[in-house]
């Protein structure tokens, strides 16, 4: 390839790289600092601030820069960019693009030297008067013509220095352009990962709230069941206490009447007149006989005070509680079918979860109190 064609090819490569470094606002090479938007497009920070101010004319500014959050649209893809309180200064700088711009400018200047500029060409270390002007393809190093003719590279394959220079420079430019594309893709992946983190946090909060709601429902069921069981126990307790209190009053009244008869008998024993004594003795003896008869008073059977028939055991329910875990998909489908059947039958109430339903069904039914008719004592004959 002639040097002229090589120069044309080199210029085409430079122009292709330059197109990738053009700002879509000012249509010039990016001016540092360069910021990258969430949509992975790049802008000069100054251009980003200009388009932001034009999109938000009523937001307060400080020193020509937006001082609070706002939003604007990317000029390349129209994606909406939301800024925080730092404004455009909160956008991330694209240091890779800035480094590529510096390398491009250095290459552009070096490719177009001024007529007065003299480029110092390296000298061969072995042959001090010879300039390095060829490239050893076998060893992969630049060398001089004398090394090829008489030196260490006389048996090696060589090529002109400028052809290898253009080839490797083109390869480096392609690699840099590939790195720019990879950087854009990696930025997109990072954005997706950050969004995934936010989704995980939100889903975790929502599921923990649901778990707390299910357990609160379970607590409510247990509290209702405990209240119902205590009502049954309290009802029999009051019934038995009222019966014993009535019986106590009857025995007290009988004791009081016997005491009065006994006092009357003692007074009669002190009567000195025999006729009067005999007149009072017969009715008094009859009263004593009647008072001594307690057949009309009821007696409490042994164990009447016992309330053990209300004992409960929660071993099975305890095992069910310890086995509470997150529902499987099959359990959720069965629960949905049960709820549909309940609605079809017109029965009220919905279960909080599969675990709550199993626990509610596992609770033992309340035992009815023993009828007092079976606890009443038989009257003594």
């Amino acid at each position: 390839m002639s040097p002229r064609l090589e120069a044309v090819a080199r210029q085409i490569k430079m122009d292709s790289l330059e197109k990738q470094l053009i700002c879509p606002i000012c249509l010039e090479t990016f001016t540092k600092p360069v910021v990258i938007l969430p949509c992975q497009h790049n802008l000069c920070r100054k251009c980003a601030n200009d388009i932001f101010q034009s999109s938000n004319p009523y937001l307060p500014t400080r020193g020509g820069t937006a001082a609070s959050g706002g939003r604007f649209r990317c000029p390349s893809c129209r994606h909406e960019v939301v800024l925080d309180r730092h404004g455009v200064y909160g956008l991330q700088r694209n240091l890779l693009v800035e480094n590529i711009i510096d390398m491009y400018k250095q290459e552009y200047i070096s490719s177009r030297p001024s007529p007065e500029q003299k480029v110092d060409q390296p000298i061969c270390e072995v042959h001090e008067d010879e300039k390095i002007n060829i490239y050893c393809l076998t060893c992969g190093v630049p060398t001089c013509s004398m090394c090829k003719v008489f030196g260490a590279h006389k048996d090696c394959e060589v090529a002109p220095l400028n052809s290898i220079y253009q080839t490797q420079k083109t390869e480096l430019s392609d690699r840099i352009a590939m790195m720019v594309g990879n950087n854009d893709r990696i930025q997109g992946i990072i954005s997706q990962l950050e969004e995934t983190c936010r989704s995980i946090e939100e889903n975790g909060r929502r599921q923990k709230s649901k778990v707390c709601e299910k357990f609160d429902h379970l607590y409510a069921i247990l509290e209702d069941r405990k209240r119902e069981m205590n009502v049954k126990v309290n009802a029999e307790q009051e019934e038995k206490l009222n019966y014993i209190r009535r019986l106590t009053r009857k025995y007290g009244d009988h004791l009081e009447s016997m005491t009065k008869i006994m006092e009357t008998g003692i007074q009669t024993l002190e009567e000195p007149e025999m006729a009067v004594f005999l007149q009072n003795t017969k009715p008094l003896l009859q009263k004593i006989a009647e008072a001594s008869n307690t057949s009309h008073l009821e007696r409490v059977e042994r164990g009447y005070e016992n309330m053990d028939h209300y004992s409960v055991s929660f071993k099975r329910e305890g095992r069910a509680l310890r086995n509470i875990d997150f529902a499987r998909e099959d359990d959720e489908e069965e629960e949905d079918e049960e709820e549909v059947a309940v609605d079809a039958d017109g029965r009220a109430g919905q279960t909080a979860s599969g675990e709550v339903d199993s626990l509610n069904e596992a609770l033992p039914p309340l035992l009815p109190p023993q009828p007092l008719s079976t606890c009443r004592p038989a009257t003594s004959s």
Side-chain angles (χ1 to χ4, degrees):
M1 182 183 293
S2 65
R4 184 173 181 180
L5 292 178
E6 291 178 356
V8 171
R10 180 181 179 184
Q11 186 63 35
I12 291 174
K13 292 291 184 180
M14 295 295 293
D15 293 340
S16 176
L17 180 60
E18 183 180 11
K19 290 179 181 179
Q20 303 296 325
L21 302 177
I22 297 299
C23 174
I25 301 300
C26 61
L27 300 180
E28 296 180 357
T29 305
F30 288 115
T31 303
K32 296 193 297 185
V34 180
V35 295
I36 183 170
L37 304 181
C39 58
Q40 307 305 310
H41 290 111
N42 299 292
L43 293 176
C44 307
R45 182 186 289 172
K46 180 180 180 302
C47 296
N49 187 56
D50 293 339
I51 191 173
F52 171 72
Q53 290 186 9
S54 62
S55 300
N56 302 268
Y58 299 105
L59 286 178
T61 58
R62 182 174 57 199
T65 303
S68 61
R71 60 187 63 199
F72 66 95
R73 292 191 177 276
C74 171
S76 299
C77 65
R78 307 305 296 169
H79 176 77
E80 187 177 55
V81 180
V82 180
L83 302 179
D84 57 12
R85 58 187 181 87
H86 300 291
V88 295
Y89 285 88
L91 294 173
Q92 184 179 359
R93 290 181 62 178
N94 196 332
L95 300 179
L96 179 59
V97 172
E98 293 181 7
N99 293 335
I100 293 174
I101 292 173
D102 293 337
M103 296 175 61
Y104 168 78
K105 290 181 177 180
Q106 292 177 1
E107 179 62 25
Y108 185 79
I109 294 174
S110 63
S111 63
R112 296 185 180 182
S114 59
E116 297 80 13
Q117 183 179 5
K118 294 182 180 180
V119 180
D120 294 333
Q121 191 170 356
I123 302 298
C124 178
E125 295 179 355
V126 179
H127 307 92
E128 298 180 355
D129 296 334
E130 293 293 329
K131 294 181 180 181
I132 295 178
N133 54 3
I134 59 176
Y135 187 85
C136 179
L137 299 176
T138 304
C139 300
V141 294
T143 184
C144 69
S145 301
M146 297 299 295
C147 289
K148 170 59 181 171
V149 178
F150 305 105
H153 301 282
K154 61 181 180 179
D155 297 327
C156 299
E157 183 180 359
V158 298
L161 195 65
N162 58 352
S163 63
I164 304 302
Y165 167 77
Q166 293 296 334
T167 301
Q168 293 193 0
K169 191 169 184 180
T170 301
E171 182 181 357
L172 179 60
S173 299
D174 295 340
R175 295 291 179 87
I176 291 174
M178 184 183 301
M179 288 184 65
V180 173
N182 290 336
N183 180 65
D184 292 341
R185 287 191 295 272
I186 291 174
Q187 289 288 353
I189 294 174
I190 291 174
S191 299
Q192 292 179 358
L193 293 176
E194 292 175 348
E195 181 63 27
T196 302
C197 287
R198 289 190 290 269
S199 299
I200 292 173
E201 292 175 352
E202 178 62 26
N203 292 337
R205 284 193 295 268
R206 182 169 59 253
Q207 291 306 119
K208 285 188 287 186
S209 177
K210 289 183 178 180
V211 170
C212 293
E213 181 181 351
K214 301 292 185 182
F215 272 93
D216 290 341
H217 192 185
L218 179 60
Y219 300 151
I221 292 176
L222 293 175
E223 287 295 331
D224 292 341
R225 198 64 172 172
K226 181 179 72 174
R227 184 166 52 253
E228 293 174 2
M229 296 174 73
N230 285 332
V231 167
K232 293 285 183 94
V233 175
N234 289 335
E236 181 169 341
Q237 174 186 334
E238 289 299 320
E239 186 175 357
K240 287 188 173 183
L241 288 175
N242 291 335
Y243 170 71
I244 296 299
R245 291 185 183 117
R246 289 195 303 269
L247 195 57
T248 302
R249 286 194 296 271
K250 288 182 180 181
Y251 274 92
D253 295 342
H254 183 72
L255 179 61
E256 184 179 356
S257 63
M258 290 183 64
T259 301
K260 291 179 180 181
I261 294 173
M262 186 178 61
E263 292 175 352
T264 303
I266 293 173
Q267 292 175 1
T268 303
L269 289 175
E270 296 175 354
E271 179 62 43
E273 292 291 335
M274 290 186 292
V276 176
F277 176 80
L278 292 175
Q279 289 178 352
N280 295 331
T281 299
K282 186 176 181 178
L284 183 58
L285 290 174
Q286 185 178 359
K287 288 182 179 180
I288 292 174
E290 292 177 355
S292 299
N293 183 12
T294 59
S295 60
H296 66 284
L297 295 176
E298 299 176 356
R299 293 181 183 180
V300 179
E301 293 181 353
R302 179 177 296 179
Y304 179 73
E305 72 281 0
N306 196 346
M307 302 282 286
D308 291 343
H309 52 280
Y310 282 115
S311 63
V312 293
S313 175
F314 293 118
K315 291 182 179 179
R316 183 176 61 179
E317 292 76 12
R319 289 193 297 269
L321 287 173
R322 283 187 289 271
N323 290 330
I324 287 179
D325 203 346
F326 295 102
R328 298 171 298 181
E329 294 183 0
D330 297 340
D331 297 337
E332 293 180 354
E333 293 177 358
E334 293 177 359
E335 183 178 352
D336 294 339
E337 292 176 358
E338 291 178 358
E339 291 180 357
V340 171
V342 168
D343 293 338
D345 295 338
R347 289 176 293 180
Q350 294 181 351
T351 57
S353 67
E355 293 81 3
V356 174
D357 292 340
S358 61
L359 178 63
N360 196 15
E361 294 173 358
L363 287 174
L366 294 177
L367 294 175
Q370 186 176 357
L372 290 181
S373 59
T374 61
C375 299
R376 292 286 199 278
T379 55
S380 60
S381 57

